[in-house]
Amino acid sequence: MSAEEILMCAVELGKNFCLYFDELECDALCKEKTLHRVLRNVKSQLLVVRPDLNVAAFEDVTDQEMQSGKGMHFSIHCYKTTTPLAGMPVAFSVQVEDKSYYMCCERECGEMIVRFKEGEVPKEIPGESNIIFFKKTFTSCCSKAFKFEYSMERGMFLAFEEEGYLRKLILKKLSKDEVDETMKMSLSKFSQNENHNL
């Protein structure tokens, strides 16, 4: 016989003899760690956020510009969850001047738009949230690159699209077995003293 602990849950019968469980942990996300990275697309361009122009786009950046980090040094907030999900739940924020902006998605004219809003990323998220993305390996043979699926609309991923001279950050639908290079992103350190892996 083992002395293993068995977790018991209180149950009760409600109207029409429906079964209810008391004191179960609800679906929630809790911030576990924060990593500091730059995001690169398949063309090795860096994602740069310009809140004054209400735009986020992948750009060619010099080493000097990268060191200054204006709008390109991201905090990637990793969450742990009470339910098993496909991929690690993450949220993105970035510092521009003295202000912090977080990435979110909103529906506008029937289309999902990626936005950066002033504010902080919460430590806990009680349910669904328009700031959460699931980090997934880009392909099974490409484990150093990732794609980020929007948590509230499965099959929609962060990607870029050409708009004039810009490679603008967007949400894009992915068909089941398709490989779309515009969704491929890599995460690089900009701080020498950080050794966490994501």
Side-chain angles (χ1 to χ4, degrees):
M1 255 206 179
S2 79
E4 224 176 286
E5 205 174 283
I6 298 171
L7 179 64
M8 304 282 287
C9 293
V11 297
E12 59 183 84
L13 292 175
K15 283 184 182 173
N16 301 326
F17 298 100
C18 288
L19 190 61
Y20 292 93
F21 291 87
D22 289 337
E23 296 182 36
L24 287 182
E25 195 174 354
C26 65
D27 294 349
L29 296 170
C30 281
K31 200 188 301 186
E32 193 170 32
K33 63 184 173 185
T34 301
L35 304 175
H36 304 285
R37 300 286 186 267
V38 292
L39 277 76
R40 291 185 187 277
N41 67 5
V42 70
K43 299 180 181 297
S44 287
Q45 296 172 309
L46 260 59
L47 181 59
V48 181
V49 177
R50 301 189 191 287
D52 53 332
L53 303 173
N54 201 19
V55 76
F58 289 93
E59 300 177 13
D60 294 311
V61 172
T62 66
D63 287 345
Q64 190 175 357
E65 287 171 320
M66 186 176 158
Q67 290 309 313
S68 76
K70 289 183 182 164
M72 60 191 84
H73 288 181
F74 285 84
S75 295
I76 302 173
H77 309 272
C78 306
Y79 287 82
K80 59 183 176 186
T81 178
T82 56
T83 56
L85 298 166
M88 177 190 289
V90 297
F92 299 91
S93 66
V94 65
Q95 286 284 130
V96 182
E97 306 299 328
D98 293 334
K99 295 178 180 172
S100 185
Y101 296 85
Y102 63 90
M103 186 193 299
C104 65
C105 296
E106 295 178 335
R107 189 167 294 284
E108 189 177 284
C109 301
E111 190 180 335
M112 290 304 294
I113 306 289
V114 179
R115 296 249 186 263
F116 281 85
K117 293 190 166 185
E118 191 177 336
E120 299 295 327
V121 168
K123 284 189 169 67
E124 290 186 17
I125 299 171
E128 286 188 335
S129 173
N130 71 342
I131 69 167
I132 294 294
F133 296 84
F134 296 128
K135 181 182 84 59
K136 301 176 177 224
T137 318
F138 184 67
T139 60
S140 55
C141 58
C142 193
S143 61
K144 298 253 187 237
F146 305 98
K147 57 187 175 188
F148 295 92
E149 185 176 25
Y150 181 44
S151 66
M152 292 179 71
E153 284 205 32
R154 305 313 290 265
M156 295 288 284
F157 290 82
L158 289 176
F160 70 85
E161 81 176 350
E162 310 269 346
E163 192 177 284
Y165 66 94
L166 283 178
R167 287 197 171 88
K168 199 172 168 187
L169 184 67
I170 60 162
L171 263 187
K172 186 176 183 183
K173 186 82 172 160
L174 180 70
S175 333
K176 233 179 203 346
D177 297 320
E178 186 184 1
V179 174
D180 187 333
E181 293 280 311
T182 66
M183 297 176 181
K184 184 177 183 178
M185 295 185 202
S186 61
L187 307 170
S188 311
K189 292 181 196 176
F190 58 82
S191 167
Q192 299 303 315
N193 55 9
E194 187 174 17
N195 2 337
H196 295 295
N197 289 324
L198 178 61

